[in-house]
Amino acid sequence: MKLFYTVIFFSSLASAAFAREESILARVTTYWAGEGQKYASTGQRLRSGHCAVDPKRIPCGSKVVFPDRACTAVDTGPAVISRKAARLCGRTASQLKAIVVDRFFETKREAMAWTSAHPHFMTLQIVRPGSHAEPSDL
């Protein structure tokens, strides 16, 4: 019986250690500097490697890991929070419930090229601030 409680205790510690990382289905959209935005809602100057998220679902400062690089969540907006893009183009129940992540690019050309090369919906890894498994930018 002691072994059972020991296993439960250590598994609860392990789950707490990994609680800051999760994978989530997201509808990924893009935006770029030419659309008039130069600063994020947090006040930071936007640059490549930044993205907009719903801060209730993904805290600002989190790393959002895409297939080609990790981006930092620094911005938000009404279309991201309302999940408009997911609700408009989702086909399955999980796609309709997906969060929206809006990835920032320096130019429209870069944004359009990335959008053309990647699916609209993808599973992203979210690494919350303070996690021991901070990903490095690819």
Side-chain angles (χ1 to χ4, degrees):
M1 193 66 166
K2 287 182 183 181
L3 178 63
F4 174 76
Y5 288 118
T6 304
V7 170
I8 296 297
F9 174 75
F10 284 116
S11 66
S12 67
L13 289 178
S15 66
F18 295 108
R20 294 184 176 256
E21 300 176 43
E22 66 178 306
S23 294
I24 192 163
L25 181 66
R27 166 65 165 100
V28 181
T29 57
T30 58
Y31 66 121
W32 52 90
E35 289 185 309
Q37 293 195 11
K38 294 181 182 173
Y39 292 92
S41 59
T42 57
Q44 291 184 349
R45 182 160 176 79
L46 289 168
R47 62 178 174 78
S48 184
H50 285 166
C51 62
V53 298
D54 179 352
K56 291 180 181 175
R57 301 288 305 272
I58 301 172
C60 286
S62 296
K63 294 291 183 183
V64 180
V65 183
F66 291 88
D68 58 334
R69 82 176 290 180
C71 293
T72 305
V74 299
D75 201 6
T76 189
V80 173
I81 293 171
S82 71
R83 300 176 18 264
K84 182 178 180 179
R87 290 184 294 109
L88 289 176
C89 77
R91 300 283 184 248
T92 66
S94 60
Q95 288 177 346
L96 291 168
K97 294 178 188 176
I99 65 165
V100 172
V101 175
D102 202 6
R103 185 169 165 176
F104 181 80
F105 287 90
E106 296 291 336
T107 66
K108 181 178 181 178
R109 179 177 287 203
E110 291 172 337
M112 293 293 117
W114 192 89
T115 300
S116 297
H118 294 86
H120 293 300
F121 289 90
M122 58 181 69
T123 301
L124 303 176
Q125 180 185 7
I126 311 301
V127 181
R128 296 176 183 271
S131 174
H132 295 292
E134 296 277 337
S136 61
D137 287 344
L138 300 175

